[in-house]
Short mmCIF file of all heavy atoms in Angstrom, two decimals:
data_model
loop_
_atom_site.label_atom_id
_atom_site.label_comp_id
_atom_site.label_asym_id
_atom_site.label_seq_id
_atom_site.Cartn_x
_atom_site.Cartn_y
_atom_site.Cartn_z
N ARG A 5 -139.83 -53.99 -105.88
CA ARG A 5 -139.13 -52.82 -106.05
C ARG A 5 -137.64 -52.93 -105.60
O ARG A 5 -137.56 -53.68 -104.55
CB ARG A 5 -139.77 -51.49 -105.29
CG ARG A 5 -141.06 -51.12 -105.88
CD ARG A 5 -141.68 -50.00 -105.04
NE ARG A 5 -142.88 -49.57 -105.58
CZ ARG A 5 -143.80 -48.85 -104.96
NH1 ARG A 5 -143.52 -48.56 -103.72
NH2 ARG A 5 -144.90 -48.60 -105.56
N VAL A 35 -139.63 -45.88 -111.28
CA VAL A 35 -140.72 -45.22 -110.47
C VAL A 35 -140.33 -44.10 -109.63
O VAL A 35 -141.13 -43.46 -108.95
CB VAL A 35 -141.56 -46.22 -109.79
CG1 VAL A 35 -142.25 -47.19 -110.66
CG2 VAL A 35 -140.84 -46.93 -108.67
N ALA A 36 -138.97 -43.84 -109.53
CA ALA A 36 -138.36 -42.68 -108.77
C ALA A 36 -137.01 -42.59 -109.37
O ALA A 36 -136.42 -43.49 -109.59
CB ALA A 36 -138.44 -42.99 -107.29
N ARG A 38 -133.33 -39.73 -108.91
CA ARG A 38 -132.75 -38.47 -108.46
C ARG A 38 -131.22 -38.49 -108.64
O ARG A 38 -130.58 -39.56 -108.52
CB ARG A 38 -133.07 -38.01 -107.03
CG ARG A 38 -132.59 -38.94 -106.02
CD ARG A 38 -133.03 -38.48 -104.68
NE ARG A 38 -132.31 -37.39 -104.05
CZ ARG A 38 -131.89 -37.38 -102.72
NH1 ARG A 38 -132.29 -38.38 -101.94
NH2 ARG A 38 -131.19 -36.52 -102.33
N VAL A 76 -135.50 -46.06 -108.31
CA VAL A 76 -136.32 -47.27 -107.88
C VAL A 76 -136.85 -47.92 -109.01
O VAL A 76 -137.50 -47.37 -109.97
CB VAL A 76 -137.37 -46.88 -106.84
CG1 VAL A 76 -138.20 -48.18 -106.47
CG2 VAL A 76 -136.78 -46.17 -105.70
N GLU A 128 -132.52 -49.71 -98.66
CA GLU A 128 -131.92 -48.78 -99.56
C GLU A 128 -132.82 -47.85 -100.27
O GLU A 128 -132.41 -46.70 -100.64
CB GLU A 128 -131.14 -49.67 -100.63
CG GLU A 128 -129.98 -50.44 -99.98
CD GLU A 128 -129.13 -51.32 -100.92
OE1 GLU A 128 -129.54 -51.39 -102.17
OE2 GLU A 128 -128.12 -51.67 -100.66
N ILE A 129 -134.07 -48.28 -100.56
CA ILE A 129 -135.03 -47.36 -101.09
C ILE A 129 -135.37 -46.17 -100.18
O ILE A 129 -135.29 -45.01 -100.50
CB ILE A 129 -136.33 -48.10 -101.60
CG1 ILE A 129 -136.14 -48.99 -102.78
CG2 ILE A 129 -137.51 -47.08 -101.89
CD1 ILE A 129 -137.24 -49.94 -103.12
N ALA A 130 -135.50 -46.51 -98.89
CA ALA A 130 -135.76 -45.57 -97.79
C ALA A 130 -134.52 -44.58 -97.68
O ALA A 130 -134.78 -43.45 -97.20
CB ALA A 130 -136.20 -46.28 -96.53
N PHE A 131 -133.34 -45.04 -97.97
CA PHE A 131 -132.16 -44.20 -97.91
C PHE A 131 -132.23 -43.01 -98.68
O PHE A 131 -131.82 -41.89 -98.46
CB PHE A 131 -130.88 -45.10 -98.07
CG PHE A 131 -129.71 -44.41 -97.89
CD1 PHE A 131 -128.98 -44.60 -96.58
CD2 PHE A 131 -129.15 -43.50 -98.86
CE1 PHE A 131 -127.81 -43.87 -96.38
CE2 PHE A 131 -127.93 -42.94 -98.57
CZ PHE A 131 -127.27 -43.08 -97.29
N PHE A 132 -132.83 -43.30 -100.01
CA PHE A 132 -132.80 -42.20 -101.01
C PHE A 132 -134.14 -41.48 -101.23
O PHE A 132 -134.20 -40.41 -101.71
CB PHE A 132 -132.39 -42.75 -102.32
CG PHE A 132 -130.90 -42.98 -102.42
CD1 PHE A 132 -130.41 -44.31 -102.29
CD2 PHE A 132 -130.03 -42.00 -102.65
CE1 PHE A 132 -129.05 -44.50 -102.26
CE2 PHE A 132 -128.65 -42.27 -102.71
CZ PHE A 132 -128.13 -43.44 -102.59
N PHE A 133 -135.28 -42.23 -100.93
CA PHE A 133 -136.57 -41.82 -101.21
C PHE A 133 -137.63 -41.88 -100.05
O PHE A 133 -137.56 -42.90 -99.35
CB PHE A 133 -137.16 -42.58 -102.50
CG PHE A 133 -136.29 -42.45 -103.72
CD1 PHE A 133 -135.33 -43.40 -104.06
CD2 PHE A 133 -136.38 -41.32 -104.56
CE1 PHE A 133 -134.56 -43.30 -105.22
CE2 PHE A 133 -135.61 -41.14 -105.69
CZ PHE A 133 -134.73 -42.10 -105.99
N SER A 134 -138.55 -40.84 -100.05
CA SER A 134 -139.62 -40.96 -99.11
C SER A 134 -140.73 -41.68 -99.93
O SER A 134 -140.77 -41.65 -101.14
CB SER A 134 -140.09 -39.54 -98.62
OG SER A 134 -140.49 -38.90 -99.66
N THR A 135 -141.71 -42.29 -99.23
CA THR A 135 -142.78 -42.99 -99.82
C THR A 135 -143.50 -42.21 -100.85
O THR A 135 -143.89 -42.60 -102.01
CB THR A 135 -143.69 -43.54 -98.78
OG1 THR A 135 -143.07 -43.93 -97.64
CG2 THR A 135 -144.67 -44.54 -99.27
N THR A 136 -143.73 -40.82 -100.66
CA THR A 136 -144.53 -39.95 -101.46
C THR A 136 -143.70 -39.70 -102.75
O THR A 136 -144.23 -39.19 -103.70
CB THR A 136 -144.82 -38.63 -100.75
OG1 THR A 136 -143.60 -38.05 -100.36
CG2 THR A 136 -145.80 -38.83 -99.68
N GLU A 137 -142.42 -39.92 -102.83
CA GLU A 137 -141.64 -39.73 -104.06
C GLU A 137 -141.72 -40.97 -104.91
O GLU A 137 -141.13 -40.84 -106.10
CB GLU A 137 -140.17 -39.38 -103.68
CG GLU A 137 -140.03 -38.09 -102.97
CD GLU A 137 -138.69 -37.82 -102.45
OE1 GLU A 137 -138.08 -38.76 -101.87
OE2 GLU A 137 -138.13 -36.75 -102.70
N LEU A 138 -142.24 -41.98 -104.57
CA LEU A 138 -142.45 -43.20 -105.49
C LEU A 138 -143.72 -43.04 -106.24
O LEU A 138 -144.76 -42.64 -105.78
CB LEU A 138 -142.47 -44.46 -104.76
CG LEU A 138 -141.34 -44.70 -103.72
CD1 LEU A 138 -141.49 -46.03 -102.97
CD2 LEU A 138 -140.00 -44.73 -104.43
N CYS A 139 -143.56 -43.25 -107.71
CA CYS A 139 -144.73 -43.12 -108.53
C CYS A 139 -145.02 -44.43 -109.21
O CYS A 139 -144.62 -44.68 -110.36
CB CYS A 139 -144.40 -42.00 -109.58
SG CYS A 139 -143.86 -40.46 -108.82
#
Side-chain angles (χ1 to χ4, degrees):
R5 287 179 182 160
V35 298
R38 65 186 277 227
V76 177
E128 292 186 347
I129 290 170
F131 187 93
F132 286 99
F133 299 97
S134 63
T135 316
T136 54
E137 290 172 316
L138 304 179
C139 305

